[in-house]
Amino acid sequence: MTDPTPVADSGDRADPTVEAVFDAVAATAPEIRAALPGRRVESGTGNPSGERVMAGDLYADELLAEAITAVDGVGSFVSEEREAAVDAGGAVGEGAYAVAIDPLDGSSNLRSNNAMGTVVGVYDAPLPATGRDLVAAGYVLYGPITTMVVADASGVREEVVERETAGDDGGVSRSVVEDDLRLPPDPLVYGFGGRVPDWPDDFTAYAREIEDELKLRYGGAMVGDVNQVLTYGGIFAYPALVGTPEGKLRLSFEANPIAYIVERAGGAATDGEIDILDVKPEGVHDRVPLYVGNEELVERLQAALA
Ligand code: AFP
């Protein structure tokens, strides 16, 4: 494993620890991306949620753990792929942050070569914590272009992440391409996960209405699907399912960071009853149904499920 590469152009942001975390995430992104072609196979191990783990998941987790635990002001590194938090030195909640990571969200898309990403939540409290303890959140999207969306108290921005020179030794640049990302007011797309026969009747009825209004866009990686909603407006859901009312997505690693980003961009996020950011976890690997997007669509969804 190589040392994280230096990052340029990160700009003058308010919280130096938060910026250093996203510098570290950006610095790993080209390396993670470059390593994916040889890591499209299952690793042979499972994660704490009982899912099979791809070799790419493990590689990304190792690289991110190394880069993020080296950041001054980070007290612990908590990963979807690890049972326990990694102690990074500082006291979380007393000046140091806990960084929660889904290293390779949508890694089952490695096989079919579709989009995937890395999700980041920076919490000012030991985990498990609610999303109200987030001070920043973001994600890297490994699409045709590597982009990083970062949300903090100042708003939401989208950056392009690139190596400055060819090869492995150059620095990594972060170039802001949208400095005030807002959900478009006229929604265009929707993407709902889970098998349709497993959807509860009230959610199915809502989906039938939405199908008449918006275009289906579903790629099987939350980061890619939410990025479409942020770009075009709309709604993404991984709903409660018959037999699995908790849905699929993890609160600490997926739902909270995405809710934080979308709410900062002017949208809304719910578990069907309350704001995702108010959901109280019992454990770090808890799952939660997630419905996120334009406020009007999320409010209608909540009314449909009431
Ligand atoms: P993987 O990381 O195992 O590919 O799961 C991705 C994910 O957690 C999330 O990114 C997607 O929204 C959701 O699962 C897709 O699940 P389905 O395969 O059931 O559509």
Side-chain angles (χ1 to χ4, degrees):
M1 199 159 304
T2 57
D3 287 336
T5 43
V7 170
D9 286 345
S10 56
D12 186 20
R13 306 287 175 192
D15 185 324
T17 300
V18 166
E19 266 318 290
V21 166
F22 284 100
D23 276 350
V25 171
T28 61
E31 208 169 329
I32 290 173
R33 185 172 189 122
L36 294 179
R39 292 179 172 79
R40 299 171 75 181
V41 293
E42 286 182 10
S43 65
T45 60
N47 70 14
S49 302
E51 296 162 337
R52 288 186 296 195
V53 170
M54 303 291 283
D57 289 307
L58 292 186
Y59 184 79
D61 177 66
E62 286 295 328
L63 214 58
L64 287 158
E66 194 179 324
I68 289 170
T69 54
V71 172
D72 270 352
V74 172
S76 73
F77 172 84
V78 194
S79 167
E80 187 176 295
E81 307 303 346
R82 294 173 190 245
E83 198 66 61
V86 180
D87 186 352
V92 175
E94 295 168 33
Y97 295 140
V99 179
I101 294 277
D102 179 355
L104 213 46
D105 174 68
S107 58
S108 53
N109 278 357
L110 268 170
R111 220 178 131 201
S112 58
N113 189 24
N114 286 99
M116 66 200 74
T118 294
V119 192
V120 186
V122 184
Y123 292 83
D124 191 14
L127 298 187
T130 74
R132 297 290 172 201
D133 286 308
L134 282 167
V135 294
Y139 59 78
V140 175
L141 173 58
Y142 304 102
I145 304 162
T146 305
T147 54
M148 185 163 75
V149 168
V150 179
D152 60 17
S154 69
V156 187
R157 60 188 187 274
E158 183 185 29
E159 305 172 2
V160 169
V161 176
E162 290 174 293
R163 278 204 198 283
E164 289 178 317
T165 52
D168 291 345
D169 315 332
V172 173
S173 69
R174 298 172 55 184
S175 313
V176 176
V177 288
E178 177 59 68
D179 65 1
D180 185 21
L181 195 59
R182 307 288 299 167
L183 268 171
D186 298 321
L188 289 180
V189 300
Y190 75 97
F192 298 156
R195 292 173 66 242
V196 176
D198 296 331
W199 290 352
D201 290 344
D202 46 9
F203 182 73
T204 304
Y206 174 79
R208 295 287 97 94
E209 280 179 30
I210 294 297
E211 283 164 6
D212 281 342
E213 300 169 26
L214 306 178
K215 276 197 291 192
L216 172 62
R217 285 286 185 273
Y218 188 76
M222 179 194 66
V223 163
D225 292 324
V226 167
N227 200 67
Q228 300 208 60
V229 168
L230 272 174
T231 306
Y232 300 117
I235 183 164
F236 167 82
Y238 204 105
L241 301 176
V242 174
T244 43
E246 69 280 17
K248 179 178 184 190
L249 303 179
R250 262 56 47 127
L251 177 68
S252 302
F253 308 105
E254 293 167 308
N256 268 339
I258 290 300
Y260 182 93
I261 295 164
V262 173
E263 291 188 16
R264 285 286 182 286
T270 180
D271 69 348
E273 288 179 17
I274 59 171
D275 192 315
I276 284 287
L277 300 179
D278 290 318
V279 174
K280 291 192 171 55
E282 287 172 10
V284 167
H285 295 278
D286 280 10
R287 298 176 193 262
V288 71
L290 173 66
Y291 312 86
V292 62
N294 284 68
E295 202 168 358
E296 176 259 332
L297 296 171
V298 173
E299 277 171 7
R300 272 172 57 196
L301 175 278
Q302 230 172 238
L305 300 190

